[in-house]
Every structure is written in C-alpha cells, then in structure tokens.
Amino acid sequence: MPSEPQLDPLDFERIPAEEGLARSRAFLASMRKRRTVRDYSPEPVPFELIQNAIATAASAPSGANQQPWTFVVVSDPDLKRRMRIAAEAEEKESYERRMSQEWLDVLAPLGTDWHKPHLEIAPYVIVVFRQSYGLRSDPETGEVTKVKHYYSEESVGIAVGVLLASLHQAGLATLTHTPSPMGFLSEVLGRPKNERPYVVIPVGYPAPDAKVPRITKKGLDEVMVVK
Ligand code: IYR
C-alpha cells in the first residue's frame, strides 16, 4: 500500500535580491579558485571539517530521496597504505597497457601517472560508495530484501559535487581520483555487496610546493545556451 505524503510548510529564507547577488558573486569567485590537488601536506585537518562536509553532501537531493551513498573516511595509515599499493598496481597496469593512446594523449596536459603518493600522504581519504540497491530487513521476520535504487549514479554525482564544494569552502584541497578498476576498495574497506566504489577523494592542505597543471575552464558563452 503506497503511503500518503505528509506535507509540511516550506522553511525558506527569502533574501533580498541584492544580497543574493553578492552571495552568488562571492561563491563564484571562491569556486573558481578550487583546484584539483595532487601534492598534499601530511599536516592534520580538524575532523569536524570532514564531518561537516559529509553532512553537507548527505543533504543533497537524490532519486526518491533514497540517499544511496556511503562515505568512508580513512585516516588509518595501514589502510591508506593498502589502498595506495592496490591503486598503484591497477594504475600501473592501466597506464602501461590498458589505456588507449587517445586517452593518454588527453591526460598528458594534467601530468598524471600511476604513482599515487597522495593516498598515503593526505591525512584523510574519503572513499565514496554508491549503493546500487538498498537492503531492508523486515522488522518482524528479520528477512532481508533488496530495495531498487533509482538514479543512484546521478544522486551520488550530485552529492560528491556538494562534498567538493564544502571541503573547498573549509579551506581544504581535494582530488577526485578514480583508480580503475576500483573493486579492491570494497575488499580493503570491508564494504557490503550492494555498495560499489564511486570515487576516491584525498583531502588535506596542499603541500607548500604543490604544483597544478596550467588549464583553463570553458567560458560561459561555450557552456550556456539561452533561449
Ligand atoms: N585513473 C587514472 C587516470 C586518469 C583518468 C582521468 I579521465 C583523469 O582525469 C585523471 C586520471 C588516474 O587517476 O591517474
């Protein structure tokens, strides 16, 4: 039996347009300074910044509000080391044999290779898992059944965008890293079968001598169509 929706009045803070404009400009200026960082300082990061960013990400909209995500925060040096070793083994194989020349060519300006020291050096590595389906246990019988998740890829992508923005606002650097294949993460982090690794995000302060590739973003005229 589908349940009736329970409706509440919207709690919406209407702000003057002037203030909206000022906030929007400030957010744009700040987000334009976000860079993907591969060189980290090992210095510690307040854990609350990580918690708040994940809580913010978990406020994202999701298909049928199913919130099909799990954020695993790794700071244990042994686990980080195991992730680095496994990621580097896969990435070495990818860079040397699996990736096409076309792929290597478009990556060349970023200067990436199979070495992933950031997985050990960054104080936190957030591994985001996508719950391809949910698990529901019957309160009476305890029987566990699968619950179909709708738009889980899109939902987790949106939440990760919010996570990256929040971490940037907290003054932290991030890297969206997708070692391929990522199956080893489920094993190293002991995640259940309904969770698929989605992205690995080292988080920390940049190394004092951090370098980033000289890249540009497309202009508004290239990405926005007004009709
Ligand atoms: N997963 C590899 C390769 C890589 C792929 C893309 I697409 C990038 O934008 C960057 C890297 C790696 O992490 O090095």
Side-chain angles (χ1 to χ4, degrees), residues 51-63:
Q51 275 185 304
N52 289 348
I54 292 173
T56 307
S59 77
S62 62

Side-chain angles (χ1 to χ4, degrees), residues 38 80 83-85 87-89 91-92 95 112-121 175 177-179 202:
R38 295 185 168 78
K80 287 197 294 179
M83 290 198 298
R84 176 184 179 176
I85 290 169
E88 286 188 334
E91 291 288 82
K92 190 166 194 296
Y95 276 90
T112 58
D113 62 27
W114 63 264
H115 296 93
K116 304 297 173 192
H118 39 259
L119 291 176
E120 263 192 289
I121 297 171
L175 165 67
H177 173 43
T178 49

Side-chain angles (χ1 to χ4, degrees), residues 107-185:
L107 281 184
L110 303 182
T112 58
D113 62 27
W114 63 264
H115 296 93
K116 304 297 173 192
H118 39 259
L119 291 176
E120 263 192 289
I121 297 171
Y124 291 107
V125 178
I126 303 175
V127 185
V128 184
F129 286 83
R130 174 180 69 88
Q131 297 166 2
S132 51
Y133 56 91
L135 294 171
R136 181 187 172 278
S137 63
D138 189 297
E140 255 126 64
T141 64
E143 192 198 348
V144 177
T145 46
K146 289 184 182 181
V147 179
K148 186 174 162 56
H149 277 169
Y150 296 92
Y151 297 100
S152 63
E153 291 276 1
E154 292 83 348
S155 303
V156 179
I158 293 167
V160 167
V162 175
L163 180 71
L164 298 177
S166 175
L167 290 165
H168 177 65
Q169 294 309 306
L172 294 168
T174 56
L175 165 67
T176 36
H177 173 43
T178 49
S180 177
M182 289 202 271
F184 68 89
L185 292 162

Side-chain angles (χ1 to χ4, degrees), residues 155-225:
S155 303
V156 179
I158 293 167
V160 167
V162 175
L163 180 71
L164 298 177
S166 175
L167 290 165
H168 177 65
Q169 294 309 306
L172 294 168
T174 56
L175 165 67
T176 36
H177 173 43
T178 49
S180 177
M182 289 202 271
F184 68 89
L185 292 162
S186 303
E187 199 187 311
V188 172
L189 302 174
R191 300 313 303 164
K193 256 181 60 187
N194 65 319
E195 294 187 4
R196 300 291 152 88
Y198 187 86
V199 68
V200 179
I201 308 176
V203 184
Y205 296 108
D209 60 348
K211 297 267 190 302
V212 289
R214 191 172 300 163
I215 56 169
T216 55
K217 297 292 179 184
K218 290 180 180 176
L220 195 53
D221 57 333
E222 293 171 279
V223 299
M224 183 173 78
V225 178

Side-chain angles (χ1 to χ4, degrees), residues 5-31:
Q6 303 267 300
L7 302 178
D8 293 317
L10 173 66
D11 178 12
F12 183 88
E13 185 202 359
R14 177 83 189 236
I15 55 168
E18 281 289 291
E19 194 187 334
L21 197 55
R23 285 195 206 176
S24 127
R25 284 179 180 151
F27 191 62
L28 170 60
S30 163
M31 290 307 291

